[in-house]
Amino acid sequence: MKERSASTYVAIMAGGVGSRFWPASRTAKPKQFLDMLGVGKSLLRLTFERFLHLCPAEHIFVVTNREYKDLVMEHLPELSEHQVLCEPSRNNTGPCIAYSAFKIAGLDPDANMVVAPSDHLIAQESAFLEVVNRALDFTSGHEALLTLGIQPSRPDTGYGYIRFKAEAVADSVYPVAQFTEKPSMEKAEAFLKSGEYLWNSGIFIWRAASVLQAFEQHAPQIFQILGEGKEVYNTPSEQAFIDRQYPLTPQHLRRLCRDGKGFERVCDSGRFRLVGPRHLGLPSCRGAKRRFGKCGIRVKDGFGRGLRIPRPGARR
């Protein structure tokens, strides 16, 4: 087997429309393509540069809606066209992850991959990269599905929560007991008080083969639909196959399994582990609390501090 770093890949999810940051973010140019921090770089660009510390540009892939392909190439000129995975329809997280896993596994059967949103603002990048590297070390030697958990600083209904078991299976790696999506304020307050819950960062680490096995066992519809053409991934026929098959995958996660758990069933497959608890100051533009003003948008970061995100073209 190759050294772990040589088999590290990243899939950046960048297909969202950013509707909750309207009017700064619009369907034609959603927030991942905006200079939300006023630093001359889009959120997508910042995310890409962050992961260059983990692997070369050739190992970074972006999954996006086909209407944003040109925007992705404009913001990330280092990528070749085959590194931009174009979804013909918006079918949520499960198919997006499965598509990237099939493609990357076709390139490297030993691939160890990070799956991350394109819209995170990370205050402590060195600490973040340290945790991700530790997670990659763990998954390279274990059949496990990992996610990053963040110590909550306040009750917040804009984040998903993870209840973890107290006994670690390795350094800062804990078994997941339960996933809860965006709870009521009452539940969020109870979660914070219990000390048993972390915010779900939406960042995942696993071997491509491990997550595909989880799909095969727990989300077979997605696995069968996208796995039907394994031989066409990374060939000129890939896009035509995806254009035909991808829209057939379930558009709502609850349709994946009869018990209604959807993609969460993959997460609850018994091999899911948690890297944390660790405070990274990692807020997501999706989950952050927002207030629009004349000069920009106010959000709260992972420490509860206020940040001003300037509107494009606003005076700073």
Side-chain angles (χ1 to χ4, degrees):
M1 184 179 291
K2 295 177 289 187
E3 290 186 7
R4 195 266 288 168
S5 58
S7 285
T8 298
Y9 294 77
V10 174
I12 299 173
M13 298 180 289
V17 298
S19 60
R20 279 175 284 186
F21 265 80
W22 183 91
S25 174
R26 298 174 182 270
T27 301
K29 194 173 184 180
K31 64 181 181 295
Q32 60 266 31
F33 301 109
L34 299 180
D35 177 14
M36 300 291 284
L37 299 181
V39 296
K41 297 178 181 179
S42 66
L43 291 176
L44 175 62
R45 182 73 208 179
L46 291 172
T47 301
F48 173 76
E49 292 182 358
R50 184 178 305 128
F51 285 119
L52 286 176
H53 295 286
L54 290 180
C55 64
E58 293 78 13
H59 284 197
I60 299 177
F61 295 79
V62 176
V63 189
T64 190
N65 190 272
R66 60 185 173 191
E67 66 181 289
Y68 301 139
K69 179 181 179 179
D70 290 343
L71 277 172
V72 171
M73 299 296 292
E74 176 187 335
H75 286 251
L76 307 178
E78 297 91 335
L79 299 188
S80 61
E81 288 198 8
H82 90 94
Q83 291 172 265
V84 182
L85 284 60
C86 295
E87 303 169 301
S89 57
R90 291 186 172 90
N91 290 29
N92 288 316
T93 307
C96 169
I97 289 175
Y99 177 16
S100 61
F102 272 118
K103 183 175 179 70
I104 291 172
L107 292 170
D108 184 350
D110 297 324
N112 204 12
M113 59 186 290
V114 180
V115 179
S118 59
D119 61 353
H120 277 166
L121 315 176
I122 298 180
Q124 299 182 30
E125 289 205 355
S126 59
F128 169 76
L129 291 169
E130 177 189 340
V131 172
V132 172
N133 271 305
R134 192 158 66 241
L136 287 165
D137 286 339
F138 185 84
T139 55
S140 67
H142 299 81
E143 286 292 328
L145 310 177
L146 267 61
T147 185
L148 300 189
I150 306 168
Q151 190 69 46
S153 59
R154 62 187 183 278
D156 197 308
T157 61
Y159 292 99
Y161 286 74
I162 307 167
R163 182 165 65 87
F164 65 98
K165 298 179 182 178
E167 195 169 328
V169 297
D171 181 28
S172 297
V173 180
Y174 299 82
V176 168
Q178 180 184 1
F179 289 87
T180 302
E181 274 301 311
K182 299 178 182 177
S184 65
M185 180 55 71
E186 182 180 3
K187 285 188 176 181
E189 290 172 346
F191 290 169
L192 187 65
K193 186 177 180 179
S194 75
E196 298 177 351
Y197 288 81
L198 301 175
W199 283 334
N200 188 353
S201 70
I203 296 174
F204 305 99
I205 301 96
W206 43 47
R207 290 177 58 246
S210 296
V211 75
L212 288 175
Q213 184 182 37
F215 271 105
E216 184 176 21
Q217 293 175 356
H218 304 289
Q221 283 181 279
I222 289 179
F223 182 85
Q224 291 166 7
I225 291 170
L226 296 182
E228 185 177 301
K230 289 181 183 178
E231 70 282 352
V232 306
Y233 288 102
N234 305 298
T235 74
S237 301
E238 177 183 322
Q239 192 61 57
F241 169 78
I242 290 298
D243 287 346
R244 183 177 70 252
Q245 295 293 106
Y246 199 89
L248 302 179
T249 60
Q251 294 188 13
H252 300 287
L253 300 185
R254 291 185 180 276
R255 296 180 185 173
L256 297 183
C257 307
R258 290 182 180 178
D259 62 5
K261 290 184 179 179
F263 180 61
E264 288 74 16
R265 187 169 178 184
V266 174
C267 298
D268 292 333
S269 63
R271 291 182 293 142
F272 217 88
R273 299 292 183 265
L274 175 72
V275 174
R278 183 70 178 263
H279 210 313
L280 302 173
L282 189 157
S284 167
C285 284
R286 272 179 308 199
K289 291 185 175 180
R290 304 166 293 279
R291 180 174 64 82
F292 290 88
K294 292 182 179 179
C295 297
I297 304 167
R298 295 286 297 184
V299 303
K300 287 185 178 179
D301 71 2
F303 300 102
R305 301 174 303 199
L307 300 173
R308 182 177 72 83
I309 298 176
R311 288 185 186 277
R315 293 183 179 180
R316 299 185 176 92

